[in-house]
Amino acid sequence: MTSATAIADSYARLLDLLADAGADYRLLRHAPEGRTELASLIRGHSLEQAAKCLVIRVALGRKQRRYVIAVVPGHCRVDLEAVRAEYGGTNASFAVREVAEELTGCVSGSIMPVSFDPAVEVVVDPTLLAHEEIWFNAGRLDVSVALRTAGYLALARPRVAQVSEEPALVQGGRGVQGV
């Protein structure tokens, strides 16, 4: 489990990064929430503006792997096959929770669309970037950031690639939960 010190450090590093870049952003404190759909409701923006961030393990061979933070719009799922192809891997899967939390310094549900670990690259889906502003948890479940998309691109310098897919359509009255 990620320690309170690691979470505080990730949050402080994000605030420093935003301040140093002179980014145009707002912080919103709210009840703790890590589920994208509910966090978007609390924050009062469309699900399409939410940056859903998941750590993906890409196998590059028998004993080689790398981890990436895949960032997709809140209404979409991560396309693991697209992430695998983008990084030339043999397989891609969701990182186990403990590894994801260790690599990001954030508890699951509060992972940010930036990386402070040079070995962990960020890849963002271009459909998220169509919005003037994006929203994400600030490395904590109780604080979110609204950040101008241009500012996000300048400070995070992510790889941009199609790594999302629309969730399955509602069938039989029940929707399929997004990733």
Side-chain angles (χ1 to χ4, degrees), residues 24-157:
D24 185 8
Y25 72 97
R26 298 183 316 280
L27 291 179
L28 177 66
R29 295 186 189 288
H30 52 77
E33 184 55 62
R35 293 169 291 182
T36 306
E37 296 83 4
L38 295 178
S40 295
L41 284 172
I42 291 169
R43 298 182 300 222
H45 62 81
S46 73
L47 198 50
E48 290 82 2
Q49 287 180 275
K52 187 189 310 184
C53 308
L54 296 140
V55 179
I56 308 298
R57 178 188 182 272
V58 180
L60 301 172
R62 290 188 73 161
K63 295 185 180 195
Q64 289 186 302
R65 67 182 175 275
R66 77 172 304 162
Y67 289 93
V68 299
I69 299 172
V71 184
V72 301
H75 69 293
C76 294
R77 299 170 56 109
V78 171
D79 182 344
L80 292 173
E81 176 59 23
V83 175
R84 181 209 58 78
E86 181 66 26
Y87 287 91
T90 57
N91 186 31
S93 59
F94 296 104
V96 296
R97 177 181 290 223
E98 294 78 16
V99 171
E101 291 179 351
E102 178 69 26
L103 290 171
T104 63
C106 304
V107 296
S108 183
S110 71
I111 294 173
M112 303 175 283
V114 299
S115 176
F116 296 111
D117 182 338
V120 179
E121 186 174 342
V122 177
V123 59
V124 64
D125 193 273
T127 56
L128 178 65
L129 304 176
H131 302 281
E132 188 173 314
E133 183 176 69
I134 62 172
W135 286 84
F136 55 93
N137 279 3
R140 296 170 39 166
L141 294 172
D142 63 344
V143 180
S144 292
V145 175
L147 177 61
R148 290 232 179 262
T149 304
Y152 168 68
L153 288 170
L155 67 89
R157 293 187 168 89

Side-chain angles (χ1 to χ4, degrees), residues 11-23 25 114-116 155-156:
Y11 176 69
R13 289 180 79 178
L14 175 66
L15 294 182
D16 288 345
L17 180 66
L18 292 167
D20 291 348
Y25 72 97
V114 299
S115 176
F116 296 111
L155 67 89

